[in-house]
């Protein structure tokens, strides 16, 4: 039970870190990878479609 909780916390931290990294990128860099600024959180959490 504790291990599952720890894994979940680790996953949430990783997700937040990925979102922060993408938010620091410029609009042109985001466009190069096919992500609009408004879609950063969705892209990280659910992947690009």
């Amino acid at each position: 039970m504790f291990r599952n909780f720890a894994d979940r916390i680790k996953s949430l931290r990783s997700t937040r870190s990925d979102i922060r990294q993408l938010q620091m990128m410029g609009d042109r860099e985001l466009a190069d990878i096919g992500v609009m600024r408004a879609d950063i959180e969705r892209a990280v959490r659910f992947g690009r479609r």
Side-chain angles (χ1 to χ4, degrees):
M1 184 169 155
F2 178 75
R3 184 178 188 98
N4 188 28
F5 178 73
D7 288 343
R8 179 72 175 146
I9 295 296
K10 189 176 183 181
S11 175
L12 289 172
R13 285 184 179 170
S14 177
T15 297
R16 285 196 313 246
S17 175
D18 293 345
I19 290 170
R20 265 188 256 116
Q21 285 182 325
L22 286 172
Q23 287 173 336
M24 290 173 36
M25 294 175 77
D27 289 334
R28 207 172 273 216
E29 293 170 309
L30 290 171
D32 286 345
I33 61 172
V35 176
M36 294 178 59
R37 187 164 300 282
D39 295 329
I40 289 174
E41 189 170 342
R42 182 190 56 79
V44 170
R45 292 188 191 277
F46 305 111
R48 292 186 305 162
R49 296 180 192 201

